[in-house]
Amino acid sequence: MGADIKLQKEALAWIAKNAGKGKYANLDGSRIAVAGQSCGGLESYYASQDPAVKTIGIFNSGFFTSTSKKDMEIVTKMNRPIFYFLGGKTDIAFENGEANYKVLPSTTPAWKGNLPVGHMATYTQAKGGKFGTAMWKWLDFTLRGGNSSSEFFAGKGAENDGWSVEKRNMDKISVTPIG
């Protein structure tokens, strides 16, 4: 593995051990996402192999096209909803994220948004700016079943917020709403 995913693996193991128990009774181990920014996105690709993971967020990241065949198989065999949040053409990882999106299986629910703000996105703005908003809407949609958040991705919400979007199979994402 090119990236060190030790912390994400430890977090997934901790969730498996503690979800639904004692003071973590409200932690739902069936609603797990992995996500990462830059090299953290690569770590999230590796962590997404855990069967507990339901959705993947790749923020300003993507494997190089010269990455090992084994690593690229993670992308070419992806079968869970995956969302790419890229910083436009000035984002150093733009081409990687774009290339990875293109080789996903055609049946995989996939969303890719580009906002031309560069590699560090809008995280230094209040509440993370537009990237922060998109992030919580992604989690609300894919883990909580939030209807207004699903419109951001399945409808025109992201485009109305300035994102250039490609998407497919959003209708295959079905989440029982939390209530």
Side-chain angles (χ1 to χ4, degrees):
M1 283 184 256
D4 179 4
I5 65 161
K6 182 181 177 194
L7 292 177
Q8 283 194 4
K9 282 186 171 184
E10 288 174 359
L12 290 167
W14 184 92
I15 291 167
K17 179 181 176 185
N18 294 292
K21 298 174 187 166
K23 66 181 180 180
Y24 304 108
N26 292 326
L27 178 60
D28 186 346
S30 71
R31 297 176 189 246
I32 305 297
V34 292
Q37 156 75 15
S38 196
C39 69
L42 304 181
E43 295 168 4
S44 295
Y45 272 132
Y46 300 125
S48 74
Q49 304 305 287
D50 187 302
V53 173
K54 302 302 180 211
T55 184
I56 300 99
I58 305 295
F59 291 82
N60 309 88
S61 187
F63 283 125
F64 290 103
T65 54
S66 62
T67 298
S68 77
K69 182 178 179 182
K70 181 181 176 189
D71 289 344
M72 280 306 291
E73 281 182 358
I74 294 172
V75 180
T76 61
K77 293 182 177 181
M78 182 64 62
N79 61 5
R80 289 175 239 176
I82 186 166
F83 290 66
Y84 292 85
F85 303 85
L86 304 174
K89 291 182 180 181
T90 62
D91 179 352
I92 193 168
F94 171 79
E95 290 181 18
N96 302 346
E98 288 283 326
N100 289 190
Y101 180 84
K102 289 176 184 169
V103 299
L104 290 167
S106 63
T107 56
T108 300
W111 185 92
K112 177 178 57 77
N114 270 295
L115 191 65
V117 293
H119 189 63
M120 293 313 294
T122 60
Y123 302 122
T124 60
Q125 297 175 9
K127 298 183 182 180
K130 289 185 178 189
F131 267 71
T133 297
M135 183 185 313
W136 75 258
K137 286 181 180 284
W138 160 63
L139 292 170
D140 185 53
F141 169 37
T142 59
L143 299 180
R144 296 182 51 84
N147 285 334
S148 64
S149 294
S150 72
E151 170 60 25
F152 187 82
F153 298 102
K156 295 286 186 189
E159 289 96 327
N160 292 341
D161 201 32
W163 294 82
S164 297
V165 173
E166 286 184 53
K167 58 189 168 194
R168 59 180 178 256
N169 303 317
M170 291 288 99
D171 59 324
K172 291 184 179 179
I173 299 174
S174 177
V175 181
T176 302
I178 293 176

